[in-house]
PDB file of all heavy atoms in Angstrom:
ATOM      1  N   ALA A  65      14.178  38.708  47.763  1.00 96.00           N
ATOM      2  CA  ALA A  65      15.518  39.306  47.824  1.00 96.00           C
ATOM      3  C   ALA A  65      16.595  38.277  48.126  1.00 96.00           C
ATOM      4  O   ALA A  65      17.738  38.412  47.671  1.00 96.00           O
ATOM      5  CB  ALA A  65      15.536  40.406  48.876  1.00 96.00           C
ATOM      6  N   GLN A  66      16.262  37.242  48.936  1.00 97.00           N
ATOM      7  CA  GLN A  66      17.220  36.184  49.257  1.00 97.00           C
ATOM      8  C   GLN A  66      18.549  36.764  49.786  1.00 97.00           C
ATOM      9  O   GLN A  66      19.639  36.454  49.302  1.00 97.00           O
ATOM     10  CB  GLN A  66      17.480  35.298  48.038  1.00 97.00           C
ATOM     11  CG  GLN A  66      16.301  34.433  47.630  1.00 97.00           C
ATOM     12  CD  GLN A  66      16.071  33.269  48.578  1.00 97.00           C
ATOM     13  OE1 GLN A  66      16.938  32.401  48.734  1.00 97.00           O
ATOM     14  NE2 GLN A  66      14.920  33.256  49.240  1.00 97.00           N
ATOM     15  N   LEU A  67      18.442  37.612  50.799  1.00 97.00           N
ATOM     16  CA  LEU A  67      19.641  38.197  51.406  1.00 97.00           C
ATOM     17  C   LEU A  67      20.424  37.119  52.138  1.00 97.00           C
ATOM     18  O   LEU A  67      19.864  36.173  52.691  1.00 97.00           O
ATOM     19  CB  LEU A  67      19.253  39.316  52.368  1.00 97.00           C
ATOM     20  CG  LEU A  67      18.421  40.461  51.775  1.00 97.00           C
ATOM     21  CD1 LEU A  67      18.148  41.518  52.841  1.00 97.00           C
ATOM     22  CD2 LEU A  67      19.143  41.085  50.581  1.00 97.00           C
ATOM     23  N   ASP A  68      21.738  37.282  52.159  1.00 97.00           N
ATOM     24  CA  ASP A  68      22.601  36.254  52.743  1.00 97.00           C
ATOM     25  C   ASP A  68      22.615  36.293  54.264  1.00 97.00           C
ATOM     26  O   ASP A  68      22.652  35.250  54.922  1.00 97.00           O
ATOM     27  CB  ASP A  68      24.025  36.425  52.207  1.00 97.00           C
ATOM     28  CG  ASP A  68      24.083  36.282  50.700  1.00 97.00           C
ATOM     29  OD1 ASP A  68      23.803  37.280  50.000  1.00 97.00           O
ATOM     30  OD2 ASP A  68      24.385  35.181  50.224  1.00 97.00           O
ATOM     31  N   ARG A  69      22.645  37.496  54.823  1.00 96.00           N
ATOM     32  CA  ARG A  69      22.707  37.652  56.274  1.00 96.00           C
ATOM     33  C   ARG A  69      21.679  38.695  56.691  1.00 96.00           C
ATOM     34  O   ARG A  69      21.639  39.786  56.121  1.00 96.00           O
ATOM     35  CB  ARG A  69      24.100  38.116  56.716  1.00 96.00           C
ATOM     36  CG  ARG A  69      25.233  37.154  56.359  1.00 96.00           C
ATOM     37  CD  ARG A  69      25.107  35.848  57.126  1.00 96.00           C
ATOM     38  NE  ARG A  69      26.306  35.030  57.019  1.00 96.00           N
ATOM     39  CZ  ARG A  69      26.408  33.806  57.506  1.00 96.00           C
ATOM     40  NH1 ARG A  69      25.371  33.256  58.118  1.00 96.00           N
ATOM     41  NH2 ARG A  69      27.524  33.113  57.392  1.00 96.00           N
ATOM     42  N   VAL A  70      20.871  38.381  57.684  1.00 96.00           N
ATOM     43  CA  VAL A  70      19.826  39.314  58.120  1.00 96.00           C
ATOM     44  C   VAL A  70      19.792  39.372  59.643  1.00 96.00           C
ATOM     45  O   VAL A  70      19.798  38.346  60.314  1.00 96.00           O
ATOM     46  CB  VAL A  70      18.441  38.884  57.589  1.00 96.00           C
ATOM     47  CG1 VAL A  70      17.343  39.733  58.219  1.00 96.00           C
ATOM     48  CG2 VAL A  70      18.396  39.022  56.064  1.00 96.00           C
ATOM     49  N   GLY A  71      19.744  40.590  60.148  1.00 93.00           N
ATOM     50  CA  GLY A  71      19.499  40.813  61.560  1.00 93.00           C
ATOM     51  C   GLY A  71      18.171  41.526  61.707  1.00 93.00           C
ATOM     52  O   GLY A  71      17.793  42.348  60.870  1.00 93.00           O
ATOM     53  N   ALA A  72      17.417  41.203  62.750  1.00 94.00           N
ATOM     54  CA  ALA A  72      16.120  41.843  62.970  1.00 94.00           C
ATOM     55  C   ALA A  72      16.066  42.398  64.386  1.00 94.00           C
ATOM     56  O   ALA A  72      16.672  41.858  65.308  1.00 94.00           O
ATOM     57  CB  ALA A  72      14.988  40.847  62.751  1.00 94.00           C
ATOM     58  N   PHE A  73      15.325  43.497  64.533  1.00 90.00           N
ATOM     59  CA  PHE A  73      15.205  44.164  65.822  1.00 90.00           C
ATOM     60  C   PHE A  73      13.750  44.539  66.051  1.00 90.00           C
ATOM     61  O   PHE A  73      13.061  44.998  65.145  1.00 90.00           O
ATOM     62  CB  PHE A  73      16.066  45.428  65.864  1.00 90.00           C
ATOM     63  CG  PHE A  73      17.508  45.186  65.548  1.00 90.00           C
ATOM     64  CD1 PHE A  73      17.972  45.244  64.233  1.00 90.00           C
ATOM     65  CD2 PHE A  73      18.400  44.869  66.555  1.00 90.00           C
ATOM     66  CE1 PHE A  73      19.288  44.999  63.939  1.00 90.00           C
ATOM     67  CE2 PHE A  73      19.724  44.624  66.268  1.00 90.00           C
ATOM     68  CZ  PHE A  73      20.188  44.685  64.958  1.00 90.00           C
ATOM     69  N   ARG A  74      13.289  44.336  67.255  1.00 93.00           N
ATOM     70  CA  ARG A  74      11.963  44.819  67.628  1.00 93.00           C
ATOM     71  C   ARG A  74      12.058  46.328  67.822  1.00 93.00           C
ATOM     72  O   ARG A  74      13.011  46.815  68.446  1.00 93.00           O
ATOM     73  CB  ARG A  74      11.501  44.156  68.907  1.00 93.00           C
ATOM     74  CG  ARG A  74      11.580  42.630  68.900  1.00 93.00           C
ATOM     75  CD  ARG A  74      11.563  42.105  70.334  1.00 93.00           C
ATOM     76  NE  ARG A  74      11.896  40.693  70.427  1.00 93.00           N
ATOM     77  CZ  ARG A  74      13.134  40.194  70.445  1.00 93.00           C
ATOM     78  NH1 ARG A  74      14.182  41.011  70.310  1.00 93.00           N
ATOM     79  NH2 ARG A  74      13.342  38.896  70.567  1.00 93.00           N
ATOM     80  N   PHE A  75      11.066  47.075  67.314  1.00 92.00           N
ATOM     81  CA  PHE A  75      11.085  48.524  67.507  1.00 92.00           C
ATOM     82  C   PHE A  75      11.098  48.854  68.990  1.00 92.00           C
ATOM     83  O   PHE A  75      10.351  48.276  69.784  1.00 92.00           O
ATOM     84  CB  PHE A  75       9.879  49.192  66.855  1.00 92.00           C
ATOM     85  CG  PHE A  75       9.764  50.650  67.211  1.00 92.00           C
ATOM     86  CD1 PHE A  75      10.611  51.576  66.625  1.00 92.00           C
ATOM     87  CD2 PHE A  75       8.851  51.075  68.166  1.00 92.00           C
ATOM     88  CE1 PHE A  75      10.530  52.926  66.976  1.00 92.00           C
ATOM     89  CE2 PHE A  75       8.762  52.412  68.518  1.00 92.00           C
ATOM     90  CZ  PHE A  75       9.605  53.339  67.925  1.00 92.00           C
ATOM     91  N   GLU A  76      11.970  49.792  69.346  1.00 87.00           N
ATOM     92  CA  GLU A  76      12.121  50.193  70.732  1.00 87.00           C
ATOM     93  C   GLU A  76      12.157  51.711  70.801  1.00 87.00           C
ATOM     94  O   GLU A  76      13.003  52.339  70.164  1.00 87.00           O
ATOM     95  CB  GLU A  76      13.429  49.603  71.285  1.00 87.00           C
ATOM     96  CG  GLU A  76      13.668  49.850  72.747  1.00 87.00           C
ATOM     97  CD  GLU A  76      14.959  49.187  73.211  1.00 87.00           C
ATOM     98  OE1 GLU A  76      15.251  48.063  72.754  1.00 87.00           O
ATOM     99  OE2 GLU A  76      15.672  49.800  74.015  1.00 87.00           O
ATOM    100  N   PRO A  77      11.233  52.325  71.528  1.00 82.00           N
ATOM    101  CA  PRO A  77      11.263  53.791  71.625  1.00 82.00           C
ATOM    102  C   PRO A  77      12.574  54.273  72.234  1.00 82.00           C
ATOM    103  O   PRO A  77      13.089  53.680  73.184  1.00 82.00           O
ATOM    104  CB  PRO A  77      10.080  54.110  72.545  1.00 82.00           C
ATOM    105  CG  PRO A  77       9.194  52.913  72.487  1.00 82.00           C
ATOM    106  CD  PRO A  77      10.115  51.743  72.285  1.00 82.00           C
ATOM    107  N   VAL A  78      13.110  55.345  71.668  1.00 79.00           N
ATOM    108  CA  VAL A  78      14.346  55.942  72.169  1.00 79.00           C
ATOM    109  C   VAL A  78      14.044  57.387  72.536  1.00 79.00           C
ATOM    110  O   VAL A  78      13.433  58.117  71.740  1.00 79.00           O
ATOM    111  CB  VAL A  78      15.455  55.893  71.097  1.00 79.00           C
ATOM    112  CG1 VAL A  78      16.742  56.501  71.640  1.00 79.00           C
ATOM    113  CG2 VAL A  78      15.691  54.469  70.640  1.00 79.00           C
ATOM    114  N   GLU A  79      14.451  57.778  73.704  1.00 77.00           N
ATOM    115  CA  GLU A  79      14.198  59.150  74.135  1.00 77.00           C
ATOM    116  C   GLU A  79      14.762  60.141  73.125  1.00 77.00           C
ATOM    117  O   GLU A  79      15.928  60.067  72.748  1.00 77.00           O
ATOM    118  CB  GLU A  79      14.835  59.391  75.510  1.00 77.00           C
ATOM    119  CG  GLU A  79      14.491  60.752  76.097  1.00 77.00           C
ATOM    120  CD  GLU A  79      15.058  60.937  77.487  1.00 77.00           C
ATOM    121  OE1 GLU A  79      15.512  59.934  78.083  1.00 77.00           O
ATOM    122  OE2 GLU A  79      15.046  62.073  77.978  1.00 77.00           O
ATOM    123  N   GLY A  80      13.898  61.059  72.663  1.00 78.00           N
ATOM    124  CA  GLY A  80      14.336  62.062  71.703  1.00 78.00           C
ATOM    125  C   GLY A  80      14.030  61.712  70.266  1.00 78.00           C
ATOM    126  O   GLY A  80      14.200  62.552  69.375  1.00 78.00           O
ATOM    127  N   ALA A  81      13.585  60.463  69.997  1.00 80.00           N
ATOM    128  CA  ALA A  81      13.293  60.046  68.618  1.00 80.00           C
ATOM    129  C   ALA A  81      11.872  60.454  68.233  1.00 80.00           C
ATOM    130  O   ALA A  81      10.930  60.290  69.011  1.00 80.00           O
ATOM    131  CB  ALA A  81      13.463  58.541  68.461  1.00 80.00           C
ATOM    132  N   ALA A  82      11.713  60.960  67.011  1.00 83.00           N
ATOM    133  CA  ALA A  82      10.404  61.422  66.548  1.00 83.00           C
ATOM    134  C   ALA A  82       9.397  60.282  66.438  1.00 83.00           C
ATOM    135  O   ALA A  82       8.179  60.507  66.528  1.00 83.00           O
ATOM    136  CB  ALA A  82      10.559  62.128  65.196  1.00 83.00           C
ATOM    137  N   ALA A  83       9.879  59.055  66.252  1.00 84.00           N
ATOM    138  CA  ALA A  83       8.968  57.910  66.099  1.00 84.00           C
ATOM    139  C   ALA A  83       8.117  57.694  67.337  1.00 84.00           C
ATOM    140  O   ALA A  83       7.031  57.091  67.255  1.00 84.00           O
ATOM    141  CB  ALA A  83       9.771  56.646  65.787  1.00 84.00           C
ATOM    142  N   ASN A  84       8.580  58.161  68.470  1.00 83.00           N
ATOM    143  CA  ASN A  84       7.822  57.970  69.708  1.00 83.00           C
ATOM    144  C   ASN A  84       6.450  58.638  69.640  1.00 83.00           C
ATOM    145  O   ASN A  84       5.515  58.219  70.317  1.00 83.00           O
ATOM    146  CB  ASN A  84       8.599  58.536  70.905  1.00 83.00           C
ATOM    147  CG  ASN A  84       9.949  57.869  71.077  1.00 83.00           C
ATOM    148  OD1 ASN A  84      10.209  56.822  70.497  1.00 83.00           O
ATOM    149  ND2 ASN A  84      10.822  58.477  71.863  1.00 83.00           N
ATOM    150  N   ASN A  85       6.341  59.684  68.830  1.00 85.00           N
ATOM    151  CA  ASN A  85       5.103  60.457  68.756  1.00 85.00           C
ATOM    152  C   ASN A  85       4.146  59.945  67.682  1.00 85.00           C
ATOM    153  O   ASN A  85       3.066  60.513  67.497  1.00 85.00           O
ATOM    154  CB  ASN A  85       5.418  61.933  68.497  1.00 85.00           C
ATOM    155  CG  ASN A  85       6.286  62.532  69.592  1.00 85.00           C
ATOM    156  OD1 ASN A  85       6.101  62.233  70.768  1.00 85.00           O
ATOM    157  ND2 ASN A  85       7.251  63.359  69.203  1.00 85.00           N
ATOM    158  N   LEU A  86       4.545  58.910  66.964  1.00 89.00           N
ATOM    159  CA  LEU A  86       3.668  58.355  65.930  1.00 89.00           C
ATOM    160  C   LEU A  86       2.507  57.607  66.571  1.00 89.00           C
ATOM    161  O   LEU A  86       2.647  57.023  67.658  1.00 89.00           O
ATOM    162  CB  LEU A  86       4.454  57.409  65.018  1.00 89.00           C
ATOM    163  CG  LEU A  86       5.505  58.040  64.107  1.00 89.00           C
ATOM    164  CD1 LEU A  86       6.296  56.953  63.387  1.00 89.00           C
ATOM    165  CD2 LEU A  86       4.850  58.972  63.087  1.00 89.00           C
ATOM    166  N   PRO A  87       1.360  57.569  65.899  1.00 90.00           N
ATOM    167  CA  PRO A  87       0.223  56.802  66.433  1.00 90.00           C
ATOM    168  C   PRO A  87       0.370  55.313  66.129  1.00 90.00           C
ATOM    169  O   PRO A  87       1.280  54.888  65.415  1.00 90.00           O
ATOM    170  CB  PRO A  87      -0.970  57.396  65.685  1.00 90.00           C
ATOM    171  CG  PRO A  87      -0.397  57.826  64.367  1.00 90.00           C
ATOM    172  CD  PRO A  87       1.007  58.317  64.668  1.00 90.00           C
ATOM    173  N   ASP A  88      -0.539  54.542  66.675  1.00 93.00           N
ATOM    174  CA  ASP A  88      -0.672  53.103  66.363  1.00 93.00           C
ATOM    175  C   ASP A  88       0.582  52.309  66.706  1.00 93.00           C
ATOM    176  O   ASP A  88       1.116  51.554  65.874  1.00 93.00           O
ATOM    177  CB  ASP A  88      -1.019  52.909  64.875  1.00 93.00           C
ATOM    178  CG  ASP A  88      -2.274  53.644  64.465  1.00 93.00           C
ATOM    179  OD1 ASP A  88      -3.225  53.669  65.262  1.00 93.00           O
ATOM    180  OD2 ASP A  88      -2.284  54.217  63.350  1.00 93.00           O
TER     181      ASP A  88
END
């Protein structure tokens, strides 16, 4: 893709987010 600007974030659980209930 050769994107010009990229920011990255480590996944962080957020209270109320459905992702918190995912396995693995």
Side-chain angles (χ1 to χ4, degrees):
Q66 291 287 298
L67 303 182
D68 300 83
R69 299 294 192 186
V70 171
F73 304 89
R74 308 161 191 83
F75 171 75
E76 184 178 321
V78 181
E79 186 176 348
N84 300 345
N85 300 321
L86 291 174
D88 303 321

